[in-house]
Amino acid sequence: MRVGIALGGGGVRGLAHILMLQVLDDLNIRPAVISGTSMGAIVGALYASGMSAREIREIIERRLILKNDTWRDVIEKREDLLKWVSAFKPDFSGCGLINAEGILNSLISEIKVDSFEGLAIPLLVVATDYWSAEEIVFDQGSLLPAIQASMAVPGVFPPVSAQGRILVDGGVVNLVPYDLLTSRADFIIAVNVSRVRAASTPEFPNALESVLGTFDIMQTTMLTDKLKRLKPDIYVWPHIRNVRMLDFGKIEEVFAQSVPAAEELKQGLLKGLQKADST
């Protein structure tokens, strides 16, 4: 049975994908294909390059001061911590608010290949053509420009010029690209890490949060409509609360809040495998 997994966009919440991939590793399931948007494309590329989910998590945690870290742990991590902090230096070019290249280089530097052809698992990366509004799917050629384009959130990261196009975040047109896997896999998993919205005391968002929140509403509406027309075999939505797209100081919370969804995925896969074995 060919298993395909689609990893959606959602900023820092996208690191929840690591726990979902850990479930596959624990069950000795190797995906036949991966598709990803934005942070899902980054995590997908790390995994498709041949790294295990545990190794990817270790890379992330080397760049964090964890609650249980001692001073010795912090000192040992100092070089990685400095790289992570420098990745978030402001971009004053006028194109975006954050230096996307710095963040990408901090994570992508761990990938030992630079092209789609060098990946151990086929990967599809989604971006959006700003002018034509077309979905652009990368699956060959240079890896870095494709990922950089996929995560170019409008108003946050600068657009990317590639293949003669001006590209922005793939989530504009396809937040969780599981539909791209229908001809490539027999069993499809879709992981949505979009924001969980809940009624609360009304408060005015600041300018950046207003842009990101509106972007999130648009993406969620489009995904809801797609789910009515086409359903994956397993749909997982980790309910990560009170973590905004750029809350990189809350990575530990993302991991902790994603545990129930990882267990849900595990049980769904066990049932799916049992069903496949009985047919």
Side-chain angles (χ1 to χ4, degrees), residues 28-165:
N28 293 316
I29 297 173
R30 178 185 172 88
V33 61
I34 301 169
S35 61
T37 294
S38 201
M39 185 61 84
I42 296 176
V43 175
L46 288 165
Y47 191 76
S49 71
M51 299 178 65
S52 69
R54 191 176 303 279
E55 288 172 329
I56 299 172
R57 182 164 181 169
E58 288 174 355
I59 287 172
I60 300 298
E61 291 183 339
R62 285 205 309 266
R63 290 162 165 79
L64 302 174
I65 298 178
L66 305 174
K67 292 178 181 178
N68 295 326
D69 278 350
T70 64
W71 280 109
R72 184 185 298 274
D73 295 325
V74 174
I75 291 172
E76 291 177 351
K77 293 180 178 181
R78 64 185 182 277
E79 290 187 11
D80 289 305
L81 289 169
L82 288 172
K83 289 177 183 178
W84 187 254
V85 171
S86 65
F88 287 85
K89 62 185 179 182
D91 173 13
F92 297 108
S93 67
C95 296
L97 301 178
I98 294 175
N99 183 348
E101 186 175 1
I103 298 172
L104 278 170
N105 287 340
S106 179
L107 294 176
I108 300 303
S109 62
E110 302 290 343
I111 299 177
K112 306 308 179 185
V113 298
D114 58 10
S115 69
F116 283 88
E117 290 77 8
L119 295 172
I121 300 173
L123 175 69
L124 308 177
V125 172
V126 180
T128 305
D129 186 310
Y130 178 78
W131 291 110
S132 70
E134 294 177 274
E135 175 183 79
I136 305 300
V137 180
F138 292 90
D139 62 358
Q140 58 184 348
S142 183
L143 191 58
L144 181 60
I147 298 174
Q148 192 171 17
S150 184
M151 64 166 289
V153 180
V156 178
F157 300 112
V160 172
S161 177
Q163 298 183 355
R165 299 173 180 267

